[in-house]
Amino acid sequence: MQIKVNNIVKIYDKDLPSKFNAIDGVSAQINQGEFISIIGQTGSGKTTFIEHMNGLIFPDAGEIEFVFTDVDKKTNQDFQRKIVISKKRFFKRKVKGLKSIRKRVGVVFQFAEYQLFEQTIEKDIIFGAISMGIPKKQAIEDAKEIIELVGLDQSFLQRSPFDLSGGQKRRVAIAGILAMKPDVIFFDEPTAGLDPAGIEETLKIFDKLNKSGKTIVIATHDLDNALTWTKRTIVFQNGKIIKDGDTYEILSDNEFLKNNRMQPTKLLSFASELERRGMKIGRVTNIDELAEKINKNMEE
């Protein structure tokens, strides 16, 4: 799936003195298979942007175009389908195609485990899939594979989700989105509240999903995780995109980050200090690459 965002605007408190543009003329394109981080200060527009991506809210101006492969029910042949979300199209007539978008674009919000409500993990995982038209028998079979994909074994399926740790609940919530078989998944602060081990496990799941072909987009305040795992970064400020490009190129620009009230990454700050002291470090995006560069310098 390809998502084209064309100059969207979202206005809150329209008739009040507190009126403001939560999203202000944003354009971007998200292509199938990308691994993207969205960064920016609290209130910069990250969450509001994500809420537009599967029709939870609609723009007050501009439009969002979704292009994907669908199957013709009459001929059983694949064809390219395009659905456009805009205020004009979705506020003045019946919402058409929205279910197709929500099936293909999943959104996992911060502390998604609070959305768990069923008696068993299996029922929680299959709930969304069944609501999207997947037969119950198929959804149950899929749940066996999906629970292992998120790092839990099948014995968890008949357990209560409320007996799990916070990190395990988060994985079950992710499994519920995966059960709907989306092409694209947006995560809003997916590692919030997790311990270091939980963070590492969660990000490894995202990396595995991305390598399987899914588009992964994470909104995060942790720039070190963005550096290590994502290839492209979109920077929001005051409802606008102020930079969009290669993650390393953006996050290695400490002056840009500081000017926009973001803390430079610990990894690149340390690498910069080593270079100041005479080591040749160059481009590194994770601790293993940095250790390799340090060892190479020690050998020379």
Side-chain angles (χ1 to χ4, degrees), residues 117-163:
F117 64 93
E118 288 283 8
Q119 293 178 327
T120 67
I121 289 170
E122 180 184 79
K123 288 181 179 179
D124 248 313
I125 291 174
I126 69 175
F127 178 84
I130 292 173
S131 70
M132 288 294 170
I134 296 175
K136 183 176 180 179
K137 185 176 180 180
Q138 180 63 52
I140 290 173
E141 286 301 308
D142 291 343
K144 295 176 183 178
E145 179 180 344
I146 292 167
I147 194 71
E148 294 185 348
L149 185 61
V150 298
L152 302 173
D153 62 58
Q154 292 184 24
S155 68
F156 279 82
L157 289 172
Q158 300 310 317
R159 292 174 58 179
S160 167
F162 306 106
D163 293 336

Side-chain angles (χ1 to χ4, degrees), residues 17-80:
S18 56
K19 171 185 174 182
F20 73 103
N21 287 12
I23 295 292
D24 191 7
V26 164
S27 295
Q29 182 169 303
I30 297 171
N31 300 309
Q32 187 65 40
E34 289 194 282
F35 198 162
I36 302 171
S37 57
I38 300 177
I39 66 173
Q41 287 290 303
T42 299
S44 62
K46 302 189 299 296
T47 298
T48 305
F49 176 77
I50 287 175
E51 289 173 339
H52 282 84
M53 293 301 103
N54 73 344
L56 292 172
I57 60 176
F58 305 108
D60 292 305
E63 64 181 28
I64 306 165
E65 183 178 301
F66 300 83
V67 181
F68 56 92
T69 300
D70 207 347
V71 178
D72 189 306
K73 293 181 180 179
K74 294 181 180 179
T75 65
N76 203 34
Q77 297 294 313
D78 290 349
F79 71 100
Q80 190 174 71

